[in-house]
Amino acid sequence: MFIKQLKDINKSLLNETIEAVVLLSQINVKTTKTDKKYADMVIQDVSKVMEAKYWDYEENEEKIKGFGNNPIVQIQGIVGEYNGQLQLTIRSLEKVDSDKVTIKDFIPASTIDFNSMEKALKQFYDKIEKPHLRELLDKMIFSEEFYQDFCTHHAAKKVHHNFYHGLLQHTLEVLKFVYTVAITKKLPQHRIDRLIVMTMLHDWGKMLEYKELPELGLTEEGMMIGHIVLSAHYTMNKIKEIHNFPEEDKLVIINGILGHHGSLEFGSPVLPKTVEAQILHAGDKMSGDIESILAFMKEDTEEETFTKKLWNMGTEYYKK
Ligand SMILES: [Fe+2]
Ligand SMILES: [Fe+2]
């Protein structure tokens, strides 16, 4: 049976043999107890990222290596279940002619129109009054060096916003949340200015933390330093290039970036020390949590009333 999209694979297909065209985005070669090589693979298309086993890797090692990086392949496999998750056991795989397909068609992307996101980002920038704060964003985001990457990068490996344009979509969501709080609580303009800047920059370091899609892993910089410190470090360096940048603004913005995970146990080296930083943390958490619940519910194709337990939230969600 040919499957058009991986999301169409559900429990009713258990033990069935299916065929699909997918992007092979990860191959982790392992060995069984009897010293035979097999591969844990990650396959994906626009609709879903899924794990697969390939027990016959050893016999086909040369062929698979010849596929190159991130090949698009036609697979045949059997639908199984492992630890409550659907998993595919691959029987055979053949590379698809690269003229016929493009990698972009296999990478999940934000469903929000890109032009409208670009416009919204600019609108928040325009709300900032202080020229030195605009200048910081000109250097960090609206520059030839970073703009393209900032607009296309993903914002996570799993859990939330792990798709093309994910960082931009997440940043905009947080901007909308924090701005609503700022207006509702009637914050003075200088605090609103700082809040917009720290929000735009809070996850900036994810551009350096995560490898380019379709790879979903961390870079060495990401592993060793992480996006919180990367964002703060680059921001500090850019601030140095700006003439007469006020010290208080620097401290408040850097604290907002460093404190955005809200607590030491979640990776922030300091706690949020300003009302702006606390608002940013709350907005960031809301964006991430809600997106993870919605994405989890969408992926869940089972017919039960509740989803499985979502580990980052610690509970199941009612689907009706
Ligand atoms: Fe973050
Ligand atoms: Fe964030």
Side-chain angles (χ1 to χ4, degrees):
M1 176 180 186
F2 187 81
I3 300 288
K4 266 203 189 136
Q5 292 204 314
L6 288 177
K7 73 166 167 40
D8 299 334
I9 298 177
N10 56 37
K11 272 203 177 150
S12 69
L13 293 173
L14 267 181
N15 303 321
E16 297 274 335
T17 301
I18 57 119
E19 278 179 40
V21 176
V22 298
L23 174 74
L24 182 54
S25 53
Q26 263 182 53
I27 305 172
N28 298 318
V29 180
K30 299 186 171 169
T31 39
T32 62
K33 281 182 193 148
T34 54
D35 252 357
K36 187 177 180 300
K37 284 188 197 169
Y38 69 98
D40 276 343
M41 296 178 161
V42 176
I43 55 174
Q44 65 172 76
D45 63 13
V46 272
S47 73
K48 191 172 174 164
V49 178
M50 196 174 170
E51 289 177 3
K53 292 262 181 219
Y54 187 42
W55 296 109
D56 303 327
Y57 178 80
E58 194 166 285
E59 297 83 331
N60 295 287
E61 189 164 22
E62 288 313 307
K63 176 175 134 188
I64 307 278
K65 281 185 177 164
F67 287 173
N69 269 350
N70 298 312
I72 292 159
V73 289
Q74 164 124 21
I75 52 162
Q76 195 189 72
I78 297 172
V79 179
E81 199 178 8
Y82 182 71
N83 270 347
Q85 296 270 30
L86 287 171
Q87 197 188 55
L88 211 60
T89 301
I90 294 178
R91 279 296 154 93
S92 71
L93 68 179
E94 295 299 329
K95 191 171 176 182
V96 177
D97 194 353
S98 55
D99 301 345
K100 291 190 184 133
V101 280
T102 93
I103 282 194
K104 252 194 110 175
D105 293 335
F106 291 83
I107 298 176
S110 166
T111 50
I112 300 175
D113 170 56
F114 175 59
N115 289 338
S116 72
M117 288 202 282
E118 256 189 316
K119 224 166 108 191
L121 189 72
K122 183 72 176 39
Q123 279 167 353
F124 279 107
Y125 170 89
D126 289 339
K127 293 184 197 299
I128 298 168
E129 285 187 358
K130 293 269 167 48
H132 65 275
L133 295 179
R134 287 184 174 215
E135 196 182 336
L136 177 59
L137 294 178
D138 291 340
K139 286 178 184 292
M140 297 278 297
I141 294 177
F142 300 95
S143 68
E144 231 176 87
E145 197 182 353
F146 298 121
Y147 187 68
Q148 181 72 9
D149 201 12
F150 185 83
C151 289
T152 53
H153 221 86
H154 53 297
K157 206 163 94 175
K158 272 188 177 165
V159 188
H160 75 90
H161 301 95
N162 57 350
F163 43 72
Y164 210 60
H165 300 306
L167 175 60
L168 177 61
Q169 183 181 322
H170 167 65
T171 305
L172 276 175
E173 262 175 39
V174 185
L175 279 166
K176 284 180 199 163
F177 296 156
V178 301
Y179 192 71
T180 305
V181 177
I183 295 302
T184 310
K185 301 307 284 181
K186 298 193 172 55
L187 289 196
Q189 183 62 39
H190 75 280
R191 287 193 188 273
I192 294 182
D193 274 13
R194 289 167 172 172
L195 179 58
I196 293 175
V197 175
M198 65 170 76
T199 303
M200 282 202 192
L201 297 178
H202 82 281
D203 276 342
W204 185 96
K206 288 194 172 179
M207 287 192 280
L208 309 171
E209 184 178 41
Y210 294 112
K211 291 181 184 165
E212 295 254 325
L213 286 172
E215 274 167 70
L216 286 167
L218 293 173
T219 62
E220 286 182 12
E221 252 181 323
M223 284 281 220
M224 303 292 278
I225 306 174
H227 76 275
I228 296 185
V229 171
L230 286 169
S231 303
H233 173 73
Y234 275 80
T235 304
M236 290 247 239
N237 279 348
K238 288 294 176 198
I239 285 176
K240 277 191 206 142
E241 294 172 12
I242 300 170
H243 189 60
N244 277 341
F245 196 98
E247 183 68 11
E248 321 76 273
D249 282 353
K250 179 180 105 181
L251 292 179
V252 170
I253 289 165
I254 298 298
N255 173 259
I257 294 172
L258 290 176
H260 82 263
H261 282 200
S263 68
L264 309 191
E265 60 177 305
F266 284 117
S268 273
V270 285
L271 296 183
K273 301 278 184 190
T274 59
V275 68
E276 300 92 295
Q278 191 57 51
I279 295 171
L280 168 59
H281 164 56
D284 184 46
K285 186 167 175 353
M286 173 131 90
S287 167
D289 285 354
I290 303 301
E291 179 63 29
S292 74
I293 299 169
L294 292 174
F296 193 65
M297 283 170 69
K298 207 166 118 193
E299 253 185 37
D300 192 318
T301 48
E302 312 295 315
E303 272 175 18
E304 273 118 66
T305 317
F306 286 93
T307 64
K308 300 224 165 52
K309 193 187 252 186
L310 177 53
W311 66 269
N312 60 314
M313 302 304 288
T315 193
E316 306 78 7
Y317 286 90
Y318 191 58
K319 291 198 285 191
K320 295 188 177 178

